[in-house]
Amino acid sequence: VSHQRTDWIGIHGHICHLLIPVLGPQPCFRSEKDRKHGKEQLLRRQESLIAVALSTAQGFVWAGKPLEAIPAALQALRFSSQVFGSGSVQLVPIYLLLAEASTGTGRLRQAAKYLSQAQWIILQTPDCSAALQSKLHHGLGLFSIAEGNLDQALYHLANDVYLATAEFGLNSLEVSGGYFHMANVFFHQNKMDAANSLYTEV
């Protein structure tokens, strides 16, 4: 019952009205033109469902409710896999979100699986953007912090900053997250000069 309640609060209350036209029986079309239009309409509905599920999951993570985020992110993953394919780069942000939510609930083994999946897709995508690679390293950095591996965390967060800088510029907002988490790591290592310098940069 608690799982059902979490699932309902997490996502199904938001997407029930979108599920029926997507999962229900599709109409039979008489002409090729109607069939093409029907496919396009179904794709738009699926994409709308993915967007709602993903933004809902992200909202729960930002609100500090990782458990509620997981059902929403899993729905986004399910429909994204159907629309884009299981090895598509569009799945990477969802895997990273699932990893962050799983880490937040203490499910580190599950988080590691999601991160591995995201990493594998990026390795299979030679033209992957620096922005997406930055997000991967950010996720790996946060996971390393949760594991207590601070040196590994600094390595990934430094890569996050480097790639975000390459994509968005030195003084971009996207770079600040990597700096902030690096500063926290230095703070825990009692390296206050480095920590204060990075906090100032943020």
Side-chain angles (χ1 to χ4, degrees), residues 35-71:
R35 197 169 14 261
K36 186 180 176 187
H37 177 70
K39 278 187 176 180
E40 288 171 357
Q41 200 171 32
L42 177 62
L43 181 62
R44 280 197 300 273
R45 286 172 177 162
Q46 288 172 320
E47 288 174 342
S48 175
L49 205 151
I50 292 164
V52 170
L54 197 52
S55 66
T56 301
Q58 187 67 73
F60 278 124
V61 168
W62 286 338
K65 299 177 178 177
L67 187 63
E68 286 88 342
I70 291 171

PDB file of all heavy atoms in Angstrom, residues 35-71:
ATOM      1  N   ARG A  35      -2.971   7.369 -41.159  1.00  0.00           N
ATOM      2  CA  ARG A  35      -2.081   6.542 -40.353  1.00  0.00           C
ATOM      3  C   ARG A  35      -0.850   7.349 -39.912  1.00  0.00           C
ATOM      4  O   ARG A  35      -0.433   7.298 -38.755  1.00  0.00           O
ATOM      5  CB  ARG A  35      -1.668   5.309 -41.162  1.00  0.00           C
ATOM      6  CG  ARG A  35      -1.097   4.192 -40.336  1.00  0.00           C
ATOM      7  CD  ARG A  35      -0.922   2.858 -41.031  1.00  0.00           C
ATOM      8  NE  ARG A  35      -1.015   2.816 -42.464  1.00  0.00           N
ATOM      9  CZ  ARG A  35      -2.119   2.440 -43.140  1.00  0.00           C
ATOM     10  NH1 ARG A  35      -3.205   2.086 -42.495  1.00  0.00           N
ATOM     11  NH2 ARG A  35      -2.124   2.411 -44.462  1.00  0.00           N
ATOM     12  N   LYS A  36      -0.304   8.122 -40.854  1.00  0.00           N
ATOM     13  CA  LYS A  36       0.862   8.956 -40.544  1.00  0.00           C
ATOM     14  C   LYS A  36       0.494  10.023 -39.507  1.00  0.00           C
ATOM     15  O   LYS A  36       1.251  10.262 -38.557  1.00  0.00           O
ATOM     16  CB  LYS A  36       1.365   9.617 -41.830  1.00  0.00           C
ATOM     17  CG  LYS A  36       2.661  10.395 -41.643  1.00  0.00           C
ATOM     18  CD  LYS A  36       3.110  11.029 -42.945  1.00  0.00           C
ATOM     19  CE  LYS A  36       4.349  11.876 -42.724  1.00  0.00           C
ATOM     20  NZ  LYS A  36       4.729  12.633 -43.925  1.00  0.00           N
ATOM     21  N   HIS A  37      -0.658  10.638 -39.683  1.00  0.00           N
ATOM     22  CA  HIS A  37      -1.121  11.651 -38.733  1.00  0.00           C
ATOM     23  C   HIS A  37      -1.328  11.035 -37.342  1.00  0.00           C
ATOM     24  O   HIS A  37      -0.974  11.637 -36.318  1.00  0.00           O
ATOM     25  CB  HIS A  37      -2.426  12.278 -39.224  1.00  0.00           C
ATOM     26  CG  HIS A  37      -3.014  13.272 -38.274  1.00  0.00           C
ATOM     27  ND1 HIS A  37      -2.447  14.510 -38.030  1.00  0.00           N
ATOM     28  CD2 HIS A  37      -4.115  13.201 -37.470  1.00  0.00           C
ATOM     29  CE1 HIS A  37      -3.169  15.150 -37.128  1.00  0.00           C
ATOM     30  NE2 HIS A  37      -4.193  14.383 -36.773  1.00  0.00           N
ATOM     31  N   GLY A  38      -1.891   9.821 -37.296  1.00  0.00           N
ATOM     32  CA  GLY A  38      -2.116   9.115 -36.033  1.00  0.00           C
ATOM     33  C   GLY A  38      -0.815   8.812 -35.314  1.00  0.00           C
ATOM     34  O   GLY A  38      -0.725   8.958 -34.085  1.00  0.00           O
ATOM     35  N   LYS A  39       0.209   8.400 -36.083  1.00  0.00           N
ATOM     36  CA  LYS A  39       1.526   8.112 -35.491  1.00  0.00           C
ATOM     37  C   LYS A  39       2.151   9.380 -34.917  1.00  0.00           C
ATOM     38  O   LYS A  39       2.746   9.360 -33.842  1.00  0.00           O
ATOM     39  CB  LYS A  39       2.458   7.501 -36.542  1.00  0.00           C
ATOM     40  CG  LYS A  39       2.261   6.024 -36.756  1.00  0.00           C
ATOM     41  CD  LYS A  39       3.337   5.481 -37.682  1.00  0.00           C
ATOM     42  CE  LYS A  39       3.209   3.969 -37.822  1.00  0.00           C
ATOM     43  NZ  LYS A  39       4.240   3.420 -38.720  1.00  0.00           N
ATOM     44  N   GLU A  40       2.034  10.479 -35.663  1.00  0.00           N
ATOM     45  CA  GLU A  40       2.587  11.753 -35.202  1.00  0.00           C
ATOM     46  C   GLU A  40       1.897  12.224 -33.927  1.00  0.00           C
ATOM     47  O   GLU A  40       2.542  12.731 -33.003  1.00  0.00           O
ATOM     48  CB  GLU A  40       2.459  12.818 -36.295  1.00  0.00           C
ATOM     49  CG  GLU A  40       3.397  12.608 -37.464  1.00  0.00           C
ATOM     50  CD  GLU A  40       3.102  13.532 -38.630  1.00  0.00           C
ATOM     51  OE1 GLU A  40       2.117  14.314 -38.558  1.00  0.00           O
ATOM     52  OE2 GLU A  40       3.850  13.471 -39.625  1.00  0.00           O
ATOM     53  N   GLN A  41       0.576  12.040 -33.881  1.00  0.00           N
ATOM     54  CA  GLN A  41      -0.197  12.423 -32.703  1.00  0.00           C
ATOM     55  C   GLN A  41       0.193  11.586 -31.478  1.00  0.00           C
ATOM     56  O   GLN A  41       0.362  12.109 -30.375  1.00  0.00           O
ATOM     57  CB  GLN A  41      -1.692  12.257 -33.003  1.00  0.00           C
ATOM     58  CG  GLN A  41      -2.591  13.049 -32.083  1.00  0.00           C
ATOM     59  CD  GLN A  41      -4.032  13.019 -32.545  1.00  0.00           C
ATOM     60  OE1 GLN A  41      -4.493  12.035 -33.120  1.00  0.00           O
ATOM     61  NE2 GLN A  41      -4.763  14.098 -32.290  1.00  0.00           N
ATOM     62  N   LEU A  42       0.376  10.273 -31.692  1.00  0.00           N
ATOM     63  CA  LEU A  42       0.796   9.381 -30.608  1.00  0.00           C
ATOM     64  C   LEU A  42       2.176   9.775 -30.093  1.00  0.00           C
ATOM     65  O   LEU A  42       2.417   9.810 -28.878  1.00  0.00           O
ATOM     66  CB  LEU A  42       0.803   7.926 -31.088  1.00  0.00           C
ATOM     67  CG  LEU A  42       1.281   6.880 -30.077  1.00  0.00           C
ATOM     68  CD1 LEU A  42       0.365   6.841 -28.852  1.00  0.00           C
ATOM     69  CD2 LEU A  42       1.368   5.497 -30.726  1.00  0.00           C
ATOM     70  N   LEU A  43       3.086  10.102 -31.032  1.00  0.00           N
ATOM     71  CA  LEU A  43       4.442  10.512 -30.645  1.00  0.00           C
ATOM     72  C   LEU A  43       4.405  11.785 -29.809  1.00  0.00           C
ATOM     73  O   LEU A  43       5.106  11.888 -28.787  1.00  0.00           O
ATOM     74  CB  LEU A  43       5.302  10.715 -31.894  1.00  0.00           C
ATOM     75  CG  LEU A  43       6.757  11.134 -31.656  1.00  0.00           C
ATOM     76  CD1 LEU A  43       7.511  10.065 -30.875  1.00  0.00           C
ATOM     77  CD2 LEU A  43       7.458  11.416 -32.971  1.00  0.00           C
ATOM     78  N   ARG A  44       3.586  12.761 -30.214  1.00  0.00           N
ATOM     79  CA  ARG A  44       3.462  14.011 -29.451  1.00  0.00           C
ATOM     80  C   ARG A  44       2.931  13.737 -28.039  1.00  0.00           C
ATOM     81  O   ARG A  44       3.390  14.331 -27.068  1.00  0.00           O
ATOM     82  CB  ARG A  44       2.548  14.999 -30.182  1.00  0.00           C
ATOM     83  CG  ARG A  44       3.237  15.757 -31.316  1.00  0.00           C
ATOM     84  CD  ARG A  44       2.445  16.985 -31.738  1.00  0.00           C
ATOM     85  NE  ARG A  44       1.115  16.643 -32.217  1.00  0.00           N
ATOM     86  CZ  ARG A  44       0.818  16.305 -33.465  1.00  0.00           C
ATOM     87  NH1 ARG A  44       1.778  16.249 -34.379  1.00  0.00           N
ATOM     88  NH2 ARG A  44      -0.426  16.026 -33.818  1.00  0.00           N
ATOM     89  N   ARG A  45       1.963  12.829 -27.935  1.00  0.00           N
ATOM     90  CA  ARG A  45       1.414  12.486 -26.618  1.00  0.00           C
ATOM     91  C   ARG A  45       2.465  11.803 -25.743  1.00  0.00           C
ATOM     92  O   ARG A  45       2.571  12.079 -24.552  1.00  0.00           O
ATOM     93  CB  ARG A  45       0.198  11.568 -26.786  1.00  0.00           C
ATOM     94  CG  ARG A  45      -1.031  12.296 -27.275  1.00  0.00           C
ATOM     95  CD  ARG A  45      -2.141  11.325 -27.605  1.00  0.00           C
ATOM     96  NE  ARG A  45      -3.355  12.008 -27.999  1.00  0.00           N
ATOM     97  CZ  ARG A  45      -4.348  11.430 -28.661  1.00  0.00           C
ATOM     98  NH1 ARG A  45      -4.272  10.152 -28.996  1.00  0.00           N
ATOM     99  NH2 ARG A  45      -5.436  12.116 -28.972  1.00  0.00           N
ATOM    100  N   GLN A  46       3.243  10.901 -26.361  1.00  0.00           N
ATOM    101  CA  GLN A  46       4.298  10.223 -25.611  1.00  0.00           C
ATOM    102  C   GLN A  46       5.358  11.220 -25.129  1.00  0.00           C
ATOM    103  O   GLN A  46       5.818  11.155 -23.988  1.00  0.00           O
ATOM    104  CB  GLN A  46       4.945   9.137 -26.472  1.00  0.00           C
ATOM    105  CG  GLN A  46       4.058   7.920 -26.688  1.00  0.00           C
ATOM    106  CD  GLN A  46       4.647   6.959 -27.702  1.00  0.00           C
ATOM    107  OE1 GLN A  46       5.202   7.368 -28.724  1.00  0.00           O
ATOM    108  NE2 GLN A  46       4.508   5.667 -27.441  1.00  0.00           N
ATOM    109  N   GLU A  47       5.731  12.137 -26.009  1.00  0.00           N
ATOM    110  CA  GLU A  47       6.728  13.148 -25.644  1.00  0.00           C
ATOM    111  C   GLU A  47       6.209  14.063 -24.535  1.00  0.00           C
ATOM    112  O   GLU A  47       6.962  14.460 -23.646  1.00  0.00           O
ATOM    113  CB  GLU A  47       7.132  13.965 -26.873  1.00  0.00           C
ATOM    114  CG  GLU A  47       8.007  13.175 -27.845  1.00  0.00           C
ATOM    115  CD  GLU A  47       8.293  13.927 -29.135  1.00  0.00           C
ATOM    116  OE1 GLU A  47       7.557  14.906 -29.441  1.00  0.00           O
ATOM    117  OE2 GLU A  47       9.238  13.546 -29.841  1.00  0.00           O
ATOM    118  N   SER A  48       4.923  14.393 -24.592  1.00  0.00           N
ATOM    119  CA  SER A  48       4.300  15.205 -23.547  1.00  0.00           C
ATOM    120  C   SER A  48       4.324  14.466 -22.212  1.00  0.00           C
ATOM    121  O   SER A  48       4.632  15.042 -21.159  1.00  0.00           O
ATOM    122  CB  SER A  48       2.865  15.543 -23.948  1.00  0.00           C
ATOM    123  OG  SER A  48       2.201  16.225 -22.924  1.00  0.00           O
ATOM    124  N   LEU A  49       4.035  13.166 -22.257  1.00  0.00           N
ATOM    125  CA  LEU A  49       4.043  12.336 -21.053  1.00  0.00           C
ATOM    126  C   LEU A  49       5.447  12.269 -20.464  1.00  0.00           C
ATOM    127  O   LEU A  49       5.623  12.392 -19.244  1.00  0.00           O
ATOM    128  CB  LEU A  49       3.552  10.940 -21.430  1.00  0.00           C
ATOM    129  CG  LEU A  49       2.925  10.103 -20.322  1.00  0.00           C
ATOM    130  CD1 LEU A  49       1.906   9.140 -20.918  1.00  0.00           C
ATOM    131  CD2 LEU A  49       3.972   9.326 -19.587  1.00  0.00           C
ATOM    132  N   ILE A  50       6.455  12.103 -21.322  1.00  0.00           N
ATOM    133  CA  ILE A  50       7.855  12.058 -20.872  1.00  0.00           C
ATOM    134  C   ILE A  50       8.226  13.376 -20.188  1.00  0.00           C
ATOM    135  O   ILE A  50       8.842  13.381 -19.117  1.00  0.00           O
ATOM    136  CB  ILE A  50       8.800  11.778 -22.061  1.00  0.00           C
ATOM    137  CG1 ILE A  50       8.587  10.352 -22.578  1.00  0.00           C
ATOM    138  CG2 ILE A  50      10.261  11.994 -21.661  1.00  0.00           C
ATOM    139  CD1 ILE A  50       9.177  10.104 -23.969  1.00  0.00           C
ATOM    140  N   ALA A  51       7.834  14.499 -20.811  1.00  0.00           N
ATOM    141  CA  ALA A  51       8.176  15.818 -20.261  1.00  0.00           C
ATOM    142  C   ALA A  51       7.554  16.019 -18.883  1.00  0.00           C
ATOM    143  O   ALA A  51       8.213  16.508 -17.958  1.00  0.00           O
ATOM    144  CB  ALA A  51       7.719  16.914 -21.220  1.00  0.00           C
ATOM    145  N   VAL A  52       6.289  15.624 -18.730  1.00  0.00           N
ATOM    146  CA  VAL A  52       5.611  15.776 -17.435  1.00  0.00           C
ATOM    147  C   VAL A  52       6.278  14.895 -16.380  1.00  0.00           C
ATOM    148  O   VAL A  52       6.559  15.337 -15.260  1.00  0.00           O
ATOM    149  CB  VAL A  52       4.105  15.434 -17.553  1.00  0.00           C
ATOM    150  CG1 VAL A  52       3.454  15.347 -16.177  1.00  0.00           C
ATOM    151  CG2 VAL A  52       3.387  16.464 -18.413  1.00  0.00           C
ATOM    152  N   ALA A  53       6.552  13.636 -16.748  1.00  0.00           N
ATOM    153  CA  ALA A  53       7.167  12.699 -15.804  1.00  0.00           C
ATOM    154  C   ALA A  53       8.556  13.179 -15.375  1.00  0.00           C
ATOM    155  O   ALA A  53       8.907  13.145 -14.190  1.00  0.00           O
ATOM    156  CB  ALA A  53       7.249  11.306 -16.419  1.00  0.00           C
ATOM    157  N   LEU A  54       9.336  13.657 -16.347  1.00  0.00           N
ATOM    158  CA  LEU A  54      10.703  14.099 -16.057  1.00  0.00           C
ATOM    159  C   LEU A  54      10.713  15.358 -15.186  1.00  0.00           C
ATOM    160  O   LEU A  54      11.471  15.438 -14.214  1.00  0.00           O
ATOM    161  CB  LEU A  54      11.448  14.354 -17.372  1.00  0.00           C
ATOM    162  CG  LEU A  54      12.965  14.437 -17.330  1.00  0.00           C
ATOM    163  CD1 LEU A  54      13.574  13.235 -16.629  1.00  0.00           C
ATOM    164  CD2 LEU A  54      13.526  14.574 -18.728  1.00  0.00           C
ATOM    165  N   SER A  55       9.870  16.319 -15.515  1.00  0.00           N
ATOM    166  CA  SER A  55       9.838  17.555 -14.718  1.00  0.00           C
ATOM    167  C   SER A  55       9.300  17.285 -13.310  1.00  0.00           C
ATOM    168  O   SER A  55       9.755  17.890 -12.332  1.00  0.00           O
ATOM    169  CB  SER A  55       9.008  18.638 -15.412  1.00  0.00           C
ATOM    170  OG  SER A  55       7.653  18.267 -15.484  1.00  0.00           O
ATOM    171  N   THR A  56       8.354  16.343 -13.193  1.00  0.00           N
ATOM    172  CA  THR A  56       7.831  15.971 -11.872  1.00  0.00           C
ATOM    173  C   THR A  56       8.931  15.331 -11.027  1.00  0.00           C
ATOM    174  O   THR A  56       9.117  15.677  -9.855  1.00  0.00           O
ATOM    175  CB  THR A  56       6.639  15.000 -12.014  1.00  0.00           C
ATOM    176  OG1 THR A  56       5.609  15.627 -12.784  1.00  0.00           O
ATOM    177  CG2 THR A  56       6.071  14.608 -10.658  1.00  0.00           C
ATOM    178  N   ALA A  57       9.675  14.404 -11.639  1.00  0.00           N
ATOM    179  CA  ALA A  57      10.776  13.743 -10.928  1.00  0.00           C
ATOM    180  C   ALA A  57      11.831  14.749 -10.494  1.00  0.00           C
ATOM    181  O   ALA A  57      12.299  14.730  -9.347  1.00  0.00           O
ATOM    182  CB  ALA A  57      11.403  12.673 -11.815  1.00  0.00           C
ATOM    183  N   GLN A  58      12.199  15.656 -11.405  1.00  0.00           N
ATOM    184  CA  GLN A  58      13.208  16.665 -11.091  1.00  0.00           C
ATOM    185  C   GLN A  58      12.737  17.561  -9.950  1.00  0.00           C
ATOM    186  O   GLN A  58      13.506  17.895  -9.042  1.00  0.00           O
ATOM    187  CB  GLN A  58      13.508  17.517 -12.327  1.00  0.00           C
ATOM    188  CG  GLN A  58      14.665  18.474 -12.161  1.00  0.00           C
ATOM    189  CD  GLN A  58      15.997  17.768 -12.018  1.00  0.00           C
ATOM    190  OE1 GLN A  58      16.526  17.230 -12.981  1.00  0.00           O
ATOM    191  NE2 GLN A  58      16.541  17.752 -10.812  1.00  0.00           N
ATOM    192  N   GLY A  59      11.453  17.915  -9.974  1.00  0.00           N
ATOM    193  CA  GLY A  59      10.885  18.746  -8.919  1.00  0.00           C
ATOM    194  C   GLY A  59      10.986  18.083  -7.553  1.00  0.00           C
ATOM    195  O   GLY A  59      11.325  18.734  -6.551  1.00  0.00           O
ATOM    196  N   PHE A  60      10.712  16.776  -7.504  1.00  0.00           N
ATOM    197  CA  PHE A  60      10.806  16.052  -6.232  1.00  0.00           C
ATOM    198  C   PHE A  60      12.256  15.986  -5.739  1.00  0.00           C
ATOM    199  O   PHE A  60      12.516  16.123  -4.538  1.00  0.00           O
ATOM    200  CB  PHE A  60      10.230  14.645  -6.365  1.00  0.00           C
ATOM    201  CG  PHE A  60       8.731  14.577  -6.254  1.00  0.00           C
ATOM    202  CD1 PHE A  60       7.968  14.016  -7.267  1.00  0.00           C
ATOM    203  CD2 PHE A  60       8.079  15.074  -5.131  1.00  0.00           C
ATOM    204  CE1 PHE A  60       6.585  13.967  -7.166  1.00  0.00           C
ATOM    205  CE2 PHE A  60       6.698  15.015  -5.016  1.00  0.00           C
ATOM    206  CZ  PHE A  60       5.943  14.466  -6.043  1.00  0.00           C
ATOM    207  N   VAL A  61      13.196  15.778  -6.654  1.00  0.00           N
ATOM    208  CA  VAL A  61      14.614  15.735  -6.262  1.00  0.00           C
ATOM    209  C   VAL A  61      15.030  17.088  -5.692  1.00  0.00           C
ATOM    210  O   VAL A  61      15.673  17.164  -4.639  1.00  0.00           O
ATOM    211  CB  VAL A  61      15.510  15.326  -7.459  1.00  0.00           C
ATOM    212  CG1 VAL A  61      16.979  15.574  -7.148  1.00  0.00           C
ATOM    213  CG2 VAL A  61      15.303  13.856  -7.804  1.00  0.00           C
ATOM    214  N   TRP A  62      14.661  18.166  -6.386  1.00  0.00           N
ATOM    215  CA  TRP A  62      15.012  19.513  -5.906  1.00  0.00           C
ATOM    216  C   TRP A  62      14.357  19.815  -4.565  1.00  0.00           C
ATOM    217  O   TRP A  62      14.890  20.578  -3.770  1.00  0.00           O
ATOM    218  CB  TRP A  62      14.617  20.566  -6.941  1.00  0.00           C
ATOM    219  CG  TRP A  62      15.532  20.582  -8.125  1.00  0.00           C
ATOM    220  CD1 TRP A  62      16.807  20.118  -8.196  1.00  0.00           C
ATOM    221  CD2 TRP A  62      15.237  21.111  -9.420  1.00  0.00           C
ATOM    222  NE1 TRP A  62      17.330  20.296  -9.452  1.00  0.00           N
ATOM    223  CE2 TRP A  62      16.388  20.919 -10.230  1.00  0.00           C
ATOM    224  CE3 TRP A  62      14.127  21.714  -9.982  1.00  0.00           C
ATOM    225  CZ2 TRP A  62      16.445  21.311 -11.551  1.00  0.00           C
ATOM    226  CZ3 TRP A  62      14.190  22.117 -11.315  1.00  0.00           C
ATOM    227  CH2 TRP A  62      15.337  21.914 -12.085  1.00  0.00           C
ATOM    228  N   ALA A  63      13.175  19.245  -4.335  1.00  0.00           N
ATOM    229  CA  ALA A  63      12.455  19.478  -3.073  1.00  0.00           C
ATOM    230  C   ALA A  63      12.966  18.583  -1.944  1.00  0.00           C
ATOM    231  O   ALA A  63      12.450  18.628  -0.828  1.00  0.00           O
ATOM    232  CB  ALA A  63      10.962  19.251  -3.280  1.00  0.00           C
ATOM    233  N   GLY A  64      13.971  17.754  -2.230  1.00  0.00           N
ATOM    234  CA  GLY A  64      14.519  16.860  -1.203  1.00  0.00           C
ATOM    235  C   GLY A  64      13.636  15.659  -0.923  1.00  0.00           C
ATOM    236  O   GLY A  64      13.645  15.119   0.182  1.00  0.00           O
ATOM    237  N   LYS A  65      12.865  15.222  -1.942  1.00  0.00           N
ATOM    238  CA  LYS A  65      11.988  14.054  -1.797  1.00  0.00           C
ATOM    239  C   LYS A  65      12.371  12.992  -2.834  1.00  0.00           C
ATOM    240  O   LYS A  65      11.629  12.735  -3.786  1.00  0.00           O
ATOM    241  CB  LYS A  65      10.528  14.467  -1.981  1.00  0.00           C
ATOM    242  CG  LYS A  65      10.047  15.479  -0.959  1.00  0.00           C
ATOM    243  CD  LYS A  65       8.612  15.900  -1.256  1.00  0.00           C
ATOM    244  CE  LYS A  65       8.106  16.885  -0.216  1.00  0.00           C
ATOM    245  NZ  LYS A  65       6.728  17.351  -0.534  1.00  0.00           N
ATOM    246  N   PRO A  66      13.548  12.375  -2.663  1.00  0.00           N
ATOM    247  CA  PRO A  66      14.039  11.444  -3.683  1.00  0.00           C
ATOM    248  C   PRO A  66      13.159  10.207  -3.869  1.00  0.00           C
ATOM    249  O   PRO A  66      13.041   9.688  -4.978  1.00  0.00           O
ATOM    250  CB  PRO A  66      15.435  11.065  -3.194  1.00  0.00           C
ATOM    251  CG  PRO A  66      15.416  11.335  -1.729  1.00  0.00           C
ATOM    252  CD  PRO A  66      14.487  12.488  -1.539  1.00  0.00           C
ATOM    253  N   LEU A  67      12.529   9.735  -2.799  1.00  0.00           N
ATOM    254  CA  LEU A  67      11.687   8.545  -2.905  1.00  0.00           C
ATOM    255  C   LEU A  67      10.509   8.783  -3.840  1.00  0.00           C
ATOM    256  O   LEU A  67      10.164   7.920  -4.655  1.00  0.00           O
ATOM    257  CB  LEU A  67      11.190   8.125  -1.513  1.00  0.00           C
ATOM    258  CG  LEU A  67      10.435   6.798  -1.442  1.00  0.00           C
ATOM    259  CD1 LEU A  67      11.334   5.636  -1.847  1.00  0.00           C
ATOM    260  CD2 LEU A  67       9.885   6.570  -0.041  1.00  0.00           C
ATOM    261  N   GLU A  68       9.892   9.947  -3.736  1.00  0.00           N
ATOM    262  CA  GLU A  68       8.768  10.286  -4.602  1.00  0.00           C
ATOM    263  C   GLU A  68       9.204  10.499  -6.057  1.00  0.00           C
ATOM    264  O   GLU A  68       8.407  10.357  -6.984  1.00  0.00           O
ATOM    265  CB  GLU A  68       8.049  11.549  -4.099  1.00  0.00           C
ATOM    266  CG  GLU A  68       7.203  11.337  -2.867  1.00  0.00           C
ATOM    267  CD  GLU A  68       7.977  11.506  -1.567  1.00  0.00           C
ATOM    268  OE1 GLU A  68       9.228  11.458  -1.617  1.00  0.00           O
ATOM    269  OE2 GLU A  68       7.338  11.675  -0.520  1.00  0.00           O
ATOM    270  N   ALA A  69      10.476  10.861  -6.246  1.00  0.00           N
ATOM    271  CA  ALA A  69      10.978  11.128  -7.598  1.00  0.00           C
ATOM    272  C   ALA A  69      11.132   9.851  -8.424  1.00  0.00           C
ATOM    273  O   ALA A  69      11.002   9.877  -9.650  1.00  0.00           O
ATOM    274  CB  ALA A  69      12.325  11.849  -7.520  1.00  0.00           C
ATOM    275  N   ILE A  70      11.404   8.724  -7.757  1.00  0.00           N
ATOM    276  CA  ILE A  70      11.742   7.494  -8.486  1.00  0.00           C
ATOM    277  C   ILE A  70      10.611   6.992  -9.389  1.00  0.00           C
ATOM    278  O   ILE A  70      10.856   6.698 -10.569  1.00  0.00           O
ATOM    279  CB  ILE A  70      12.242   6.408  -7.502  1.00  0.00           C
ATOM    280  CG1 ILE A  70      13.610   6.824  -6.938  1.00  0.00           C
ATOM    281  CG2 ILE A  70      12.344   5.045  -8.182  1.00  0.00           C
ATOM    282  CD1 ILE A  70      14.132   5.963  -5.809  1.00  0.00           C
ATOM    283  N   PRO A  71       9.346   6.885  -8.919  1.00  0.00           N
ATOM    284  CA  PRO A  71       8.287   6.416  -9.834  1.00  0.00           C
ATOM    285  C   PRO A  71       8.133   7.299 -11.069  1.00  0.00           C
ATOM    286  O   PRO A  71       7.927   6.803 -12.186  1.00  0.00           O
ATOM    287  CB  PRO A  71       7.021   6.457  -8.969  1.00  0.00           C
ATOM    288  CG  PRO A  71       7.494   6.406  -7.571  1.00  0.00           C
ATOM    289  CD  PRO A  71       8.817   7.105  -7.567  1.00  0.00           C
TER     290      PRO A  71
END
